[in-house]
């Protein structure tokens, strides 16, 4: 039975999509069957694995709003053991359309539960907000992975995110747990980085991954070529970091 991990933080630009795409690709390359579920209307995870969402007849939108099966939307990518549940721009309207729907917080739970037996890991790339799509993602997930950038406002808004997690856990998904916190955009030369690391470790004792993701040019370039960084430049710092993260995740889940 596959494990479902939501990658979430309501702040934009913290490395959610970068982590979703590259962690999924690394685990796939290591022989694990992985599904990447793109729940962000921007669709960056979809384009990040080389899929043109305009050519996907069924997407996350139809699954959440139209009652389509996840299996009808899933596409195989060109990357080893990596499938995609693509996003579409229509997801931007999903928040409004869900407002009047019965059991609106559970629209993603059953579709993902129906396919989890086919995968070892399912990663949900959540939108940068705490709306209904993120609530649906947390409701469907077993755990949440929170990327936090090593910058001045890193912890801003995290109390809101933790409140949302507690609410989802209390009302809908009592089994939801914290997978871990990932430090991104790490630059060990900066004093600020060290201060942020210390603060995050205080805020999340024993839940911060040992692996840190550095600021890296190749990580920024790879999405423009529709490739995870390990396929774009396997020897790059970014690729090595996500390989280490994948190994750490596997070890903690063993």
């Amino acid at each position: 039975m596959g494990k479902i991990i939501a990658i979430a933080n309501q702040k934009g630009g913290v490395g959610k999509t970068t982590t979703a795409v590259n962690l999924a690709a690394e685990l796939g390359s290591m022989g694990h069957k992985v599904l990447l579920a793109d729940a962000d209307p921007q669709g960056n995870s979809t384009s990040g694995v080389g899929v043109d969402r305009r050519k996907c007849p069924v997407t996350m939108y139809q699954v959440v709003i139209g009652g389509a099966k996840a299996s009808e939307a899933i596409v195989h990518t060109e990357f080893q053991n990596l499938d995609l549940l693509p996003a579409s721009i229509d997801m931007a309207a999903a928040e409004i359309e869900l407002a009047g729907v019965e059991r609106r917080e559970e629209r993603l739970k059953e579709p993902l539960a129906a396919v989890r037996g086919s995968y070892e890991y399912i990663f949900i790339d959540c939108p940068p907000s705490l709306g209904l799509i993120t609530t649906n993602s947390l409701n469907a997930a077993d755990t949440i992975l929170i990327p936090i950038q090593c910058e001045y406002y890193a912890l801003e808004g995290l109390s809101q995110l933790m409140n949302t997690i507690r609410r989802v856990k209390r009302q809908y998904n009592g089994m939801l747990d914290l997978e871990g916190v990932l430090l991104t955009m790490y630059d060990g030369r900066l004093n600020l980085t060290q201060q942020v690391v210390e603060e995050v470790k205080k805020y999340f004792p024993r839940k911060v991954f040992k692996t840190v993701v550095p600021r890296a040019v190749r990580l920024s370039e790879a999405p423009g070529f529709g490739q995870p960084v390990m396929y774009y430049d396997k020897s790059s710092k970014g690729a090595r970091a996500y390989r280490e993260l994948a190994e750490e995740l596997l070890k903690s889940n063993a």
Side-chain angles (χ1 to χ4, degrees):
M1 188 66 77
K3 183 171 191 179
I4 302 176
I5 302 175
I7 300 179
N9 187 331
Q10 79 269 31
K11 279 175 73 69
V14 298
K16 274 193 307 294
T17 297
T18 300
T19 297
V21 167
N22 290 298
L23 182 54
E26 285 289 350
L27 286 166
S29 76
M30 295 160 83
H32 302 277
K33 193 87 172 91
V34 180
L35 174 65
L36 175 58
D38 192 350
D40 188 343
Q42 296 173 86
N44 291 335
S45 277
T46 300
S47 58
V49 292
V51 174
D52 185 347
R53 61 183 180 176
R54 293 168 300 183
K55 295 179 180 174
C56 298
V58 185
T59 68
M60 179 69 85
Y61 174 78
Q62 281 85 5
V63 171
V64 171
I65 297 294
K69 294 177 181 176
S71 58
E72 295 170 348
I74 289 170
V75 296
H76 302 301
T77 74
E78 62 184 283
F79 308 109
Q80 189 179 358
N81 293 314
L82 180 58
D83 286 351
L84 172 75
L85 177 50
S88 70
I89 195 66
D90 295 328
M91 281 295 286
E95 295 277 344
I96 299 163
E97 292 179 44
L98 280 172
V101 173
E102 195 177 336
R103 295 171 65 201
R104 60 187 183 179
E105 296 88 0
E106 299 179 20
R107 303 290 292 189
L108 189 54
K109 189 167 192 166
E110 288 176 18
L112 287 187
V115 297
R116 71 187 294 169
S118 302
Y119 298 95
E120 289 176 69
Y121 287 95
I122 297 175
F123 293 100
I124 309 172
D125 184 15
C126 297
S129 70
L130 293 178
L132 275 170
I133 299 302
T134 296
T135 299
N136 265 273
S137 300
L138 296 179
N139 195 3
D142 299 306
T143 61
I144 176 172
L145 189 159
I146 305 173
I148 296 178
Q149 83 281 32
C150 295
E151 292 178 357
Y152 187 71
Y153 294 111
L155 295 175
E156 190 180 71
L158 267 182
S159 59
Q160 282 177 285
L161 176 60
M162 296 313 293
N163 285 339
T164 298
I165 293 168
R166 282 190 285 269
R167 179 176 61 81
V168 170
K169 191 167 182 173
R170 187 176 64 249
Q171 295 181 350
Y172 310 111
N173 183 2
M175 303 303 289
L176 183 65
D177 199 6
L178 179 60
E179 185 72 40
V181 175
L182 176 67
L183 292 159
T184 63
M185 303 173 201
Y186 181 90
D187 186 342
R189 299 168 299 178
L190 302 178
N191 286 334
L192 174 63
T193 295
Q194 304 307 330
Q195 289 167 12
V196 171
V197 170
E198 286 171 27
E199 279 188 62
V200 171
K201 285 182 175 175
K202 270 189 226 165
Y203 198 95
F204 295 102
R206 299 181 301 282
K207 280 293 186 178
V208 180
F209 287 106
K210 291 187 180 73
T211 304
V212 295
V213 177
R215 283 194 174 280
V217 173
R218 293 300 203 215
L219 270 179
S220 303
E221 290 176 347
F225 292 86
Q227 294 180 328
V229 71
M230 68 158 297
Y231 290 93
Y232 179 64
D233 185 348
K234 194 170 186 174
S235 63
S236 65
K237 286 191 300 183
R240 288 200 302 273
Y242 279 107
R243 167 66 55 144
E244 287 170 18
L245 179 63
E247 289 169 350
E248 190 175 348
L249 185 75
L250 289 171
K251 193 174 176 183
S252 68
N253 282 278

